[in-house]
Amino acid sequence: MKLAVAITISALLLIIVIALPSAHPQIPAAREVVSPSAYVSLEPVARNSNFQLAVVLKIRPSFHINARKPSAEYLIPTDLRPTLPTGFKSAGEIAYPPGELKTFAFFQNSSERVPG
């Protein structure tokens, strides 16, 4: 009888532990946090013509990315590095939107510059 009670209690404790949320939530992969979309100023693009390409990043709620020029030296800047298809030439600099200062709960003493 004591063995049956001990097994039942152990089973119940095991079920409770399994049902509890994990103490360390998994960190999602970058592709689950940031989704890029590209837009071309001309469509179709004729051979030897100039066009602009805009890349828009959709950022999952409660996440952020740093601006190209972050507000603190230790922050990692966002950097777009395009891989151009054969025959395409980059004609200029990449223009980034200005960042905006935001304060986050995990970093109480300062603000961080993130894309606007």
Short mmCIF file of all heavy atoms in Angstrom, two decimals, residues 22-68:
data_model
loop_
_atom_site.label_atom_id
_atom_site.label_comp_id
_atom_site.label_asym_id
_atom_site.label_seq_id
_atom_site.Cartn_x
_atom_site.Cartn_y
_atom_site.Cartn_z
N SER A 22 9.05 26.34 -18.79
CA SER A 22 10.50 26.27 -18.65
C SER A 22 11.03 27.55 -18.01
O SER A 22 10.57 28.64 -18.29
CB SER A 22 11.12 26.09 -20.04
OG SER A 22 12.52 26.17 -19.95
N ALA A 23 12.01 27.43 -17.15
CA ALA A 23 12.62 28.58 -16.51
C ALA A 23 13.43 29.41 -17.50
O ALA A 23 13.61 30.59 -17.33
CB ALA A 23 13.52 28.12 -15.36
N HIS A 24 13.92 28.78 -18.55
CA HIS A 24 14.71 29.47 -19.56
C HIS A 24 14.01 29.34 -20.91
O HIS A 24 14.17 28.34 -21.59
CB HIS A 24 16.11 28.85 -19.65
CG HIS A 24 16.86 28.91 -18.36
ND1 HIS A 24 17.37 30.08 -17.86
CD2 HIS A 24 17.16 27.97 -17.44
CE1 HIS A 24 17.96 29.85 -16.70
NE2 HIS A 24 17.84 28.57 -16.43
N PRO A 25 13.23 30.36 -21.30
CA PRO A 25 12.57 30.26 -22.60
C PRO A 25 13.60 30.21 -23.72
O PRO A 25 14.66 30.80 -23.62
CB PRO A 25 11.72 31.53 -22.67
CG PRO A 25 12.32 32.46 -21.68
CD PRO A 25 12.98 31.61 -20.63
N GLN A 26 13.26 29.51 -24.77
CA GLN A 26 14.18 29.38 -25.88
C GLN A 26 14.29 30.70 -26.62
O GLN A 26 13.30 31.40 -26.81
CB GLN A 26 13.72 28.29 -26.84
CG GLN A 26 13.89 26.91 -26.30
CD GLN A 26 13.54 25.87 -27.36
OE1 GLN A 26 12.76 26.13 -28.24
NE2 GLN A 26 14.14 24.71 -27.25
N ILE A 27 15.49 31.02 -27.06
CA ILE A 27 15.71 32.23 -27.85
C ILE A 27 15.41 31.88 -29.29
O ILE A 27 15.96 30.92 -29.83
CB ILE A 27 17.16 32.72 -27.70
CG1 ILE A 27 17.42 33.10 -26.24
CG2 ILE A 27 17.42 33.89 -28.62
CD1 ILE A 27 18.85 33.44 -25.92
N PRO A 28 14.52 32.63 -29.94
CA PRO A 28 14.17 32.30 -31.32
C PRO A 28 15.32 32.59 -32.28
O PRO A 28 16.18 33.42 -32.00
CB PRO A 28 12.97 33.22 -31.61
CG PRO A 28 13.10 34.34 -30.65
CD PRO A 28 13.79 33.78 -29.44
N ALA A 29 15.32 31.92 -33.40
CA ALA A 29 16.32 32.15 -34.44
C ALA A 29 16.08 33.52 -35.05
O ALA A 29 14.96 34.05 -35.03
CB ALA A 29 16.22 31.06 -35.51
N ALA A 30 17.13 34.12 -35.61
CA ALA A 30 17.04 35.46 -36.20
C ALA A 30 15.94 35.53 -37.25
O ALA A 30 15.20 36.52 -37.32
CB ALA A 30 18.38 35.84 -36.81
N ARG A 31 15.78 34.49 -38.07
CA ARG A 31 14.76 34.51 -39.12
C ARG A 31 13.35 34.50 -38.56
O ARG A 31 12.40 34.83 -39.26
CB ARG A 31 14.98 33.38 -40.11
CG ARG A 31 14.71 32.00 -39.57
CD ARG A 31 14.85 30.91 -40.61
NE ARG A 31 16.16 30.36 -40.85
CZ ARG A 31 16.88 29.62 -40.03
NH1 ARG A 31 16.45 29.38 -38.84
NH2 ARG A 31 18.03 29.14 -40.37
N GLU A 32 13.20 34.14 -37.29
CA GLU A 32 11.90 34.18 -36.64
C GLU A 32 11.62 35.56 -36.04
O GLU A 32 10.49 35.86 -35.67
CB GLU A 32 11.82 33.13 -35.54
CG GLU A 32 11.91 31.71 -36.05
CD GLU A 32 11.99 30.69 -34.93
OE1 GLU A 32 11.85 31.07 -33.74
OE2 GLU A 32 12.19 29.51 -35.23
N VAL A 33 12.64 36.40 -35.93
CA VAL A 33 12.51 37.72 -35.32
C VAL A 33 12.45 38.83 -36.37
O VAL A 33 11.66 39.75 -36.27
CB VAL A 33 13.68 37.98 -34.34
CG1 VAL A 33 13.62 39.39 -33.78
CG2 VAL A 33 13.66 36.96 -33.21
N VAL A 34 13.29 38.74 -37.39
CA VAL A 34 13.37 39.77 -38.43
C VAL A 34 13.03 39.15 -39.78
O VAL A 34 13.64 38.17 -40.19
CB VAL A 34 14.78 40.39 -38.48
CG1 VAL A 34 14.86 41.45 -39.56
CG2 VAL A 34 15.16 40.98 -37.13
N SER A 35 12.05 39.75 -40.47
CA SER A 35 11.64 39.29 -41.79
C SER A 35 11.89 40.40 -42.80
O SER A 35 11.23 41.44 -42.74
CB SER A 35 10.16 38.93 -41.82
OG SER A 35 9.86 37.96 -40.86
N PRO A 36 12.85 40.22 -43.72
CA PRO A 36 13.11 41.26 -44.71
C PRO A 36 12.19 41.14 -45.93
O PRO A 36 11.78 40.05 -46.31
CB PRO A 36 14.56 41.00 -45.12
CG PRO A 36 14.73 39.53 -44.93
CD PRO A 36 13.84 39.16 -43.77
N SER A 37 11.85 42.28 -46.52
CA SER A 37 11.13 42.34 -47.79
C SER A 37 11.86 43.34 -48.66
O SER A 37 12.35 44.36 -48.17
CB SER A 37 9.69 42.81 -47.59
OG SER A 37 8.98 41.89 -46.79
N ALA A 38 11.94 43.09 -49.97
CA ALA A 38 12.62 43.99 -50.89
C ALA A 38 11.63 44.56 -51.89
O ALA A 38 10.72 43.86 -52.36
CB ALA A 38 13.74 43.25 -51.61
N TYR A 39 11.81 45.84 -52.24
CA TYR A 39 10.95 46.53 -53.19
C TYR A 39 11.84 47.24 -54.21
O TYR A 39 12.80 47.91 -53.84
CB TYR A 39 10.05 47.54 -52.48
CG TYR A 39 9.19 46.90 -51.43
CD1 TYR A 39 9.61 46.80 -50.10
CD2 TYR A 39 7.95 46.36 -51.76
CE1 TYR A 39 8.81 46.19 -49.15
CE2 TYR A 39 7.15 45.75 -50.81
CZ TYR A 39 7.59 45.67 -49.50
OH TYR A 39 6.81 45.06 -48.55
N VAL A 40 11.52 47.10 -55.49
CA VAL A 40 12.31 47.69 -56.57
C VAL A 40 11.57 48.90 -57.13
O VAL A 40 10.35 48.86 -57.29
CB VAL A 40 12.55 46.65 -57.69
CG1 VAL A 40 13.39 47.22 -58.82
CG2 VAL A 40 13.22 45.41 -57.12
N SER A 41 12.33 49.98 -57.46
CA SER A 41 11.71 51.20 -57.96
C SER A 41 11.21 51.06 -59.40
O SER A 41 10.37 51.83 -59.83
CB SER A 41 12.68 52.38 -57.87
OG SER A 41 13.83 52.14 -58.67
N LEU A 42 11.73 50.11 -60.17
CA LEU A 42 11.29 49.84 -61.54
C LEU A 42 10.97 48.37 -61.68
O LEU A 42 11.69 47.52 -61.17
CB LEU A 42 12.41 50.17 -62.55
CG LEU A 42 12.90 51.59 -62.63
CD1 LEU A 42 14.09 51.67 -63.57
CD2 LEU A 42 11.79 52.52 -63.11
N GLU A 43 9.90 48.09 -62.40
CA GLU A 43 9.60 46.69 -62.64
C GLU A 43 8.91 46.55 -63.98
O GLU A 43 7.84 47.15 -64.17
CB GLU A 43 8.70 46.13 -61.53
CG GLU A 43 8.73 44.63 -61.51
CD GLU A 43 8.04 44.05 -60.27
OE1 GLU A 43 8.21 44.59 -59.18
OE2 GLU A 43 7.34 43.06 -60.44
N PRO A 44 9.45 45.89 -64.94
CA PRO A 44 10.75 45.22 -64.88
C PRO A 44 11.88 46.22 -65.04
O PRO A 44 11.68 47.33 -65.50
CB PRO A 44 10.69 44.28 -66.09
CG PRO A 44 9.80 44.97 -67.06
CD PRO A 44 8.78 45.71 -66.22
N VAL A 45 13.06 45.81 -64.65
CA VAL A 45 14.26 46.64 -64.76
C VAL A 45 14.91 46.34 -66.10
O VAL A 45 15.25 45.20 -66.40
CB VAL A 45 15.25 46.36 -63.61
CG1 VAL A 45 16.52 47.16 -63.79
CG2 VAL A 45 14.60 46.64 -62.27
N ALA A 46 15.05 47.37 -66.92
CA ALA A 46 15.68 47.20 -68.24
C ALA A 46 17.19 47.10 -68.09
O ALA A 46 17.78 47.66 -67.17
CB ALA A 46 15.30 48.37 -69.14
N ARG A 47 17.80 46.40 -69.02
CA ARG A 47 19.26 46.25 -69.02
C ARG A 47 19.93 47.62 -69.03
O ARG A 47 19.50 48.53 -69.73
CB ARG A 47 19.69 45.44 -70.25
CG ARG A 47 21.17 45.15 -70.31
CD ARG A 47 21.52 44.37 -71.57
NE ARG A 47 20.87 43.07 -71.56
CZ ARG A 47 21.49 41.93 -71.25
NH1 ARG A 47 22.75 41.93 -70.93
NH2 ARG A 47 20.83 40.80 -71.25
N ASN A 48 20.97 47.78 -68.24
CA ASN A 48 21.77 49.00 -68.11
C ASN A 48 20.99 50.20 -67.57
O ASN A 48 21.38 51.33 -67.76
CB ASN A 48 22.44 49.37 -69.45
CG ASN A 48 23.45 48.34 -69.87
OD1 ASN A 48 24.18 47.79 -69.04
ND2 ASN A 48 23.50 48.05 -71.15
N SER A 49 19.87 49.95 -66.92
CA SER A 49 19.13 51.07 -66.32
C SER A 49 19.42 51.14 -64.83
O SER A 49 19.81 50.16 -64.21
CB SER A 49 17.63 50.91 -66.56
OG SER A 49 17.15 49.77 -65.90
N ASN A 50 19.23 52.32 -64.29
CA ASN A 50 19.43 52.52 -62.86
C ASN A 50 18.11 52.30 -62.13
O ASN A 50 17.04 52.61 -62.66
CB ASN A 50 19.92 53.93 -62.58
CG ASN A 50 21.32 54.16 -63.11
OD1 ASN A 50 22.14 53.26 -63.11
ND2 ASN A 50 21.58 55.37 -63.57
N PHE A 51 18.19 51.76 -60.95
CA PHE A 51 16.99 51.57 -60.14
C PHE A 51 17.40 51.58 -58.68
O PHE A 51 18.57 51.50 -58.34
CB PHE A 51 16.28 50.25 -60.49
CG PHE A 51 17.11 49.02 -60.21
CD1 PHE A 51 16.96 48.35 -59.00
CD2 PHE A 51 18.01 48.54 -61.15
CE1 PHE A 51 17.72 47.22 -58.74
CE2 PHE A 51 18.76 47.41 -60.89
CZ PHE A 51 18.62 46.74 -59.68
N GLN A 52 16.42 51.72 -57.84
CA GLN A 52 16.65 51.69 -56.40
C GLN A 52 15.99 50.45 -55.81
O GLN A 52 14.97 49.98 -56.33
CB GLN A 52 16.08 52.94 -55.72
CG GLN A 52 16.81 54.20 -56.11
CD GLN A 52 16.22 55.40 -55.42
OE1 GLN A 52 15.04 55.43 -55.07
NE2 GLN A 52 17.04 56.40 -55.19
N LEU A 53 16.57 49.99 -54.76
CA LEU A 53 16.05 48.82 -54.06
C LEU A 53 15.87 49.22 -52.60
O LEU A 53 16.79 49.73 -51.97
CB LEU A 53 17.03 47.65 -54.17
CG LEU A 53 16.64 46.35 -53.50
CD1 LEU A 53 15.44 45.73 -54.22
CD2 LEU A 53 17.81 45.39 -53.52
N ALA A 54 14.68 49.01 -52.08
CA ALA A 54 14.41 49.30 -50.66
C ALA A 54 14.23 47.97 -49.94
O ALA A 54 13.55 47.08 -50.42
CB ALA A 54 13.15 50.13 -50.52
N VAL A 55 14.87 47.85 -48.79
CA VAL A 55 14.72 46.66 -47.95
C VAL A 55 14.01 47.11 -46.68
O VAL A 55 14.44 48.03 -45.99
CB VAL A 55 16.08 46.03 -47.61
CG1 VAL A 55 15.91 44.85 -46.67
CG2 VAL A 55 16.81 45.61 -48.88
N VAL A 56 12.88 46.48 -46.40
CA VAL A 56 12.09 46.80 -45.22
C VAL A 56 12.14 45.60 -44.28
O VAL A 56 11.90 44.47 -44.71
CB VAL A 56 10.62 47.12 -45.61
CG1 VAL A 56 9.78 47.40 -44.37
CG2 VAL A 56 10.58 48.29 -46.59
N LEU A 57 12.47 45.87 -43.04
CA LEU A 57 12.57 44.80 -42.05
C LEU A 57 11.35 44.83 -41.14
O LEU A 57 11.04 45.84 -40.52
CB LEU A 57 13.83 44.97 -41.20
CG LEU A 57 15.15 45.01 -41.95
CD1 LEU A 57 16.29 45.25 -40.98
CD2 LEU A 57 15.36 43.74 -42.74
N LYS A 58 10.64 43.72 -41.06
CA LYS A 58 9.53 43.57 -40.12
C LYS A 58 10.12 42.89 -38.89
O LYS A 58 10.66 41.79 -38.97
CB LYS A 58 8.42 42.73 -40.73
CG LYS A 58 7.22 42.60 -39.83
CD LYS A 58 6.11 41.81 -40.49
CE LYS A 58 4.94 41.66 -39.56
NZ LYS A 58 3.89 40.83 -40.17
N ILE A 59 10.01 43.55 -37.75
CA ILE A 59 10.61 43.06 -36.51
C ILE A 59 9.52 42.58 -35.58
O ILE A 59 8.55 43.29 -35.32
CB ILE A 59 11.46 44.16 -35.85
CG1 ILE A 59 12.51 44.66 -36.85
CG2 ILE A 59 12.11 43.64 -34.57
CD1 ILE A 59 13.16 45.96 -36.45
N ARG A 60 9.67 41.37 -35.11
CA ARG A 60 8.68 40.74 -34.22
C ARG A 60 8.45 41.62 -32.98
O ARG A 60 9.40 42.15 -32.41
CB ARG A 60 9.22 39.37 -33.83
CG ARG A 60 8.29 38.51 -33.03
CD ARG A 60 8.88 37.12 -32.98
NE ARG A 60 8.55 36.43 -31.75
CZ ARG A 60 8.94 35.21 -31.46
NH1 ARG A 60 9.69 34.53 -32.30
NH2 ARG A 60 8.60 34.65 -30.34
N PRO A 61 7.19 41.77 -32.57
CA PRO A 61 6.90 42.56 -31.36
C PRO A 61 7.72 42.08 -30.16
O PRO A 61 7.99 40.90 -30.01
CB PRO A 61 5.40 42.32 -31.13
CG PRO A 61 4.86 41.96 -32.48
CD PRO A 61 5.97 41.20 -33.16
N SER A 62 8.11 43.01 -29.35
CA SER A 62 8.93 42.86 -28.15
C SER A 62 10.40 42.61 -28.45
O SER A 62 11.19 42.36 -27.55
CB SER A 62 8.38 41.78 -27.20
OG SER A 62 8.69 40.47 -27.65
N PHE A 63 10.80 42.71 -29.73
CA PHE A 63 12.21 42.61 -30.12
C PHE A 63 12.61 43.93 -30.76
O PHE A 63 11.77 44.76 -31.09
CB PHE A 63 12.43 41.47 -31.12
CG PHE A 63 12.40 40.12 -30.49
CD1 PHE A 63 11.19 39.46 -30.30
CD2 PHE A 63 13.56 39.48 -30.10
CE1 PHE A 63 11.14 38.21 -29.71
CE2 PHE A 63 13.53 38.23 -29.51
CZ PHE A 63 12.31 37.60 -29.32
N HIS A 64 13.90 44.15 -30.93
CA HIS A 64 14.41 45.33 -31.61
C HIS A 64 15.73 45.00 -32.27
O HIS A 64 16.34 43.97 -31.99
CB HIS A 64 14.59 46.49 -30.63
CG HIS A 64 15.80 46.32 -29.75
ND1 HIS A 64 15.79 45.52 -28.64
CD2 HIS A 64 17.05 46.83 -29.86
CE1 HIS A 64 17.00 45.55 -28.09
NE2 HIS A 64 17.78 46.34 -28.80
N ILE A 65 16.16 45.87 -33.17
CA ILE A 65 17.52 45.81 -33.71
C ILE A 65 18.13 47.19 -33.52
O ILE A 65 17.41 48.19 -33.41
CB ILE A 65 17.55 45.38 -35.20
CG1 ILE A 65 16.79 46.35 -36.08
CG2 ILE A 65 17.03 43.96 -35.37
CD1 ILE A 65 16.92 46.05 -37.57
N ASN A 66 19.44 47.25 -33.48
CA ASN A 66 20.11 48.53 -33.30
C ASN A 66 20.14 49.30 -34.62
O ASN A 66 20.05 48.71 -35.70
CB ASN A 66 21.54 48.31 -32.80
CG ASN A 66 21.57 47.67 -31.44
OD1 ASN A 66 20.67 47.86 -30.63
ND2 ASN A 66 22.60 46.87 -31.18
N ALA A 67 20.32 50.60 -34.52
CA ALA A 67 20.46 51.45 -35.69
C ALA A 67 21.83 51.22 -36.34
O ALA A 67 22.70 50.56 -35.77
CB ALA A 67 20.30 52.92 -35.29
N ARG A 68 22.01 51.78 -37.51
CA ARG A 68 23.32 51.69 -38.19
C ARG A 68 24.38 52.38 -37.36
O ARG A 68 25.52 51.96 -37.31
CB ARG A 68 23.20 52.33 -39.59
CG ARG A 68 24.50 52.42 -40.32
CD ARG A 68 24.95 51.04 -40.76
NE ARG A 68 26.18 51.14 -41.52
CZ ARG A 68 27.28 50.46 -41.22
NH1 ARG A 68 27.28 49.63 -40.20
NH2 ARG A 68 28.35 50.59 -41.93
#
